[in-house]
Amino acid sequence: MRFSHKHLLGIEPLAPHEITMILDLAERYVDLNRGHAKHGDALTGLTQINMFFENSTRTQASFELAGMRLGADVMNMSMQASSIKKGETLIDTALTLNAMHPDLLVVRHPHSGAVDLLAQKVNCAVLNAGDGRHEHPTQALLDALTIRRAKGRLHRLSVAICGDIAHSRVARSNILLLGKMENRVKLIGPPTLMPSGIAEFGVEVYQDMAEGLQDVDVVMMLRLQKERMDGGFIPSEREYYHRYGLDAQKLAHAKPDAIVMHPGPMNRGVEIDGTIADDINRSVIQEQVEMGVAVRMAAMDILARNLRATPQEVMA
Ligand code: NCD
């Protein structure tokens, strides 16, 4: 079985066996990360550059750690301080970096499609660490690994994704991944935060939490993406919490063993009650962070194997 892609730009082009391949390798890295000597050699001699044009805590830190644990030389470009401020275009920055011969480029950008564009201009493997409201593939993969470990499978589960679906790349990548693996996906949120035409993705849409959460195995909460909103999408945070914030009462509609997820950063008291987020019997939010490092190690390892292989081998 081959991973037939040079880049990891989204979940959309991946086949189910390629998703499983990343998750299976990530399992091995979970074990490595839990040991004392956390070093592998899959990226030895390779150069990884992280370019984050948007703020990030978890994603950037875990990509950095993932690269270091696998032996890469890792450089973080501070995009605020770079020539972008002086008006250099994204493409010029990419070409400049390309001339330094990186092997792996990890990019987060506020514009949907920017990472795909950049991937066409460079020779190395590009990993999308989130582009606008488009895709965030490693987040969906780490969520999938967390679900698979908690539920023992990644198919025929009922998963609710709740809140600001319209502005969320996390939701989009998760909808695609969970759909490919044959799960039932229920989206819950106010109509103002639901993208138009979403039903074409084979999902069910609900406006009411009690109704949508009925008997689900997984409850995935999303942050209100205020930085991507240009008007009044919600009446007030108080009202939003009342209708859509996950509290014990609403969670009681899900299966008794349903897990609670959140990609972070979390707004306690807006989309989720702090007690639920901290409840170690229900919340897998810390596991998601742990799986994030392992999944990024696996994704970079697999792309690096393709870098070393001949083009014919990659396409075989
Ligand atoms: C998400 C993102 O940046 O898209 N965060 C993350 O990567 N952990 C979700 C968010 O910002 O709400």
Side-chain angles (χ1 to χ4, degrees):
M1 285 283 194
R2 277 231 152 257
F3 188 82
S4 59
H5 308 272
K6 180 175 180 191
H7 309 290
L8 180 61
L9 299 175
I11 296 297
E12 193 156 26
L14 301 187
H17 81 267
E18 292 171 321
I19 293 170
T20 304
M21 194 175 160
I22 298 177
L23 301 185
D24 290 349
L25 182 58
E27 287 283 4
R28 306 227 305 261
Y29 285 128
V30 174
D31 295 339
L32 182 80
N33 290 338
R34 286 184 178 180
H36 288 296
K38 301 178 177 56
H39 281 134
D41 59 4
L43 304 182
T44 303
L46 302 184
T47 300
Q48 172 192 338
I49 301 184
N50 298 332
M51 289 168 84
F52 279 69
F53 295 89
E54 247 186 20
N55 290 342
S56 169
T57 313
R58 274 151 284 264
T59 308
Q60 182 163 356
S62 60
F63 264 116
E64 190 175 348
L65 210 50
M68 292 195 299
R69 287 188 179 164
L70 292 181
D73 293 318
V74 186
M75 185 179 88
N76 288 307
M77 286 284 292
S78 166
M79 299 321 293
Q80 302 299 321
S82 79
S83 309
I84 297 285
K85 282 259 179 234
K86 299 179 193 160
E88 189 173 65
T89 66
L90 171 68
I91 300 305
D92 282 332
T93 309
L95 292 177
T96 304
L97 286 177
N98 195 45
M100 298 181 195
H101 299 295
D103 302 287
L104 297 154
L105 205 52
V106 179
V107 189
R108 168 170 286 192
H109 199 279
H111 295 148
S112 307
V115 183
D116 291 44
L117 182 70
L118 195 139
Q120 293 164 25
K121 307 285 176 189
V122 295
N123 304 319
C124 58
V126 176
L127 292 102
N128 182 1
D131 65 322
R133 53 175 89 172
H134 177 227
E135 280 233 40
H136 191 353
T138 55
Q139 180 69 44
L141 288 161
L142 76 87
D143 289 339
L145 185 60
T146 309
I147 295 172
R148 197 174 79 166
R149 288 169 64 97
K151 295 283 151 204
R153 65 178 200 272
L154 189 58
H155 58 274
R156 290 202 321 277
L157 292 167
S158 177
V159 182
I161 306 180
C162 317
D164 185 358
I165 316 283
H167 300 101
S168 174
R169 53 197 177 206
V170 175
R172 223 183 105 81
S173 291
N174 266 304
I175 292 167
L176 291 166
L177 190 153
L178 293 166
K180 281 176 195 274
M181 305 312 270
E182 293 177 16
N183 296 283
R184 178 176 178 195
V185 179
K186 300 162 107 182
L187 306 181
I188 317 175
T192 47
L193 296 178
M194 210 50 83
S196 55
I198 191 69
E200 288 163 30
F201 282 78
V203 293
E204 298 162 38
V205 178
Y206 296 86
Q207 285 180 35
D208 182 67
M209 286 286 273
E211 207 186 318
L213 288 178
Q214 207 62 52
D215 291 329
V216 298
D217 300 286
V218 178
V219 185
M220 197 181 282
M221 301 308 298
L222 299 171
R223 182 178 66 88
L224 283 177
Q225 308 265 306
K226 285 188 226 153
E227 72 277 25
R228 296 187 222 287
M229 296 182 190
D230 51 8
F233 283 84
I234 55 161
S236 71
E237 285 185 357
R238 212 184 132 98
E239 170 76 10
Y240 182 82
Y241 180 70
H242 176 67
R243 293 205 56 189
Y244 295 101
L246 187 68
D247 56 16
Q249 213 186 347
K250 296 190 190 84
L251 183 58
H253 294 278
K255 283 195 183 146
D257 62 350
I259 54 168
V260 174
M261 306 179 75
H262 193 303
M266 235 179 333
N267 291 310
R268 292 167 184 259
V270 180
E271 69 264 0
I272 190 164
D273 171 29
T275 341
I276 300 278
D278 298 332
D279 181 351
I280 53 163
N281 295 316
R282 305 307 294 270
S283 161
V284 293
I285 296 171
Q286 296 311 319
E287 276 90 332
Q288 287 176 270
V289 179
E290 182 186 5
M291 295 310 123
V293 180
V295 152
R296 287 165 182 133
M297 289 165 89
M300 290 196 290
D301 179 344
I302 285 173
L303 292 183
R305 291 178 199 184
N306 281 354
L307 285 177
R308 293 189 176 109
T310 63
Q312 289 82 348
E313 280 175 331
V314 174
M315 298 317 293

